[in-house]
Amino acid sequence: MAELIIPAIVSCIVAFFTVYVTTPPLIKFLQKRNLAVKDMNKKDHVMVVRPGGPSIIAGIITSELVLYGFFQINEILAIIITSFIAFVIGYVDDRKVMGGWFKPVALVIASTPIIFLGTYDSNLSFPLFGTVQIPALYLGLIIFMIPITGNTINSIDVLNGVASGFMIIASFSLSIALFILQNYEIAIISLPLGFVSLAFYKYHKIPSKIFPGDSGALTLGAMYGAIAIVGHVEIIAAVALLPAIINSFLFLSSMKRIVEHRQIKGKPVEHTEDFKLKATSDKTAPITLVRLILASGPLSEKQVGYAIFKLTIFSGILAIITAFMRVLI
Amino acid sequence: MKIGLFGFLFVMWILILAGGGILVTILGPFSISGYGDFDLLLTSILKAIIAIILVIVWILILSKLKNWIFKKEIKS
């Protein structure tokens, strides 16, 4: 255990400062190229640059390579390659408008390094009840898991700071769960995700200076999914991710198909005169987590963000309880 | 926001735990024999079908719950 402390500290410092240092020049570069979009939830005409994915992937790759220098295990390579493929897919979508099917289908490719490097265990562990061996079914689970985690994080990236803030809470909950399960190596491998998100949150929090874009959100989500698989904590990871899963579930169950946000005609949320967010009564609009939060009355963007964080902390606590339940087996 | 969404999260968590219990206690030990080389394949297919049915039931319960919470939140 003691020999793991130095790699853990070094990789966390590298993860945090890589993003912290590279994001300001990235913002300037994107401003020069005029790669900015309007922040729809601001009263004034505010333009915010995107995507922040390049600094996020830089933080992930450098910190994980540092860890690979300490322990040469395939799990680290699987996480790096999966995250990088997700970044490329997201970057393509950032630069070129693709159909709603593109990201879920393309992210299947991002899950293949986990399979080819053999960094999974087909025993699915459930709290209290034990494990079930599902070799054929588990391969399907891997193929589905990366697109699901990638897209759920992307779909919750709707307000300033929400995607990165959400990822901080969910990933640290997952790391704590891995420590509880005494899966120390993977726990340490998972820490950079939280620190990368923490550093990016500095620039993404309200008022945002940069948006992560599809490249940033998919990278964070795919890395989270890869950690869940190589760490054998799929169920715990799903519990920590529940608010984002609810968001995707609500969206899909109301729209009945995979569709990009920009293709939706009905507006789920509108603004009041003082520019607070308010749920609409438009029946053609999708039901989303934000719309559900706003159902009881208008709130500011910051208040909605904090409401999502409270839900994420709650699900993070449930994930940690789930980890303790697994220890009881 | 009140308690509704926290309750929704909690119910999702309980459903995950219950689903896990069904998978481990019923689906886990389940196996088909008497078909020679096809035993493993048939067992896997049947397990996959039952797992998909469980997921569909899970989604249906959540859909009903979502509608109930959403209507309740608007009324309050």
Side-chain angles (χ1 to χ4, degrees), chain A residues 86-104:
Chain A
F87 164 75
V88 172
I89 292 163
Y91 196 75
V92 169
D93 204 49
D94 280 330
R95 300 305 303 267
K96 202 175 173 187
V97 177
M98 307 299 280
W101 55 269
F102 172 71
K103 281 176 281 183

Side-chain angles (χ1 to χ4, degrees), chain A residues 19 22-23 26 52-61 196 200 212 215-217 219-220:
Chain A
V19 177
T22 58
T23 307
L26 178 66
S55 67
I56 290 172
I57 193 68
I60 289 169
I61 290 177
V196 160
F200 191 76
S215 58
T219 304
L220 293 174

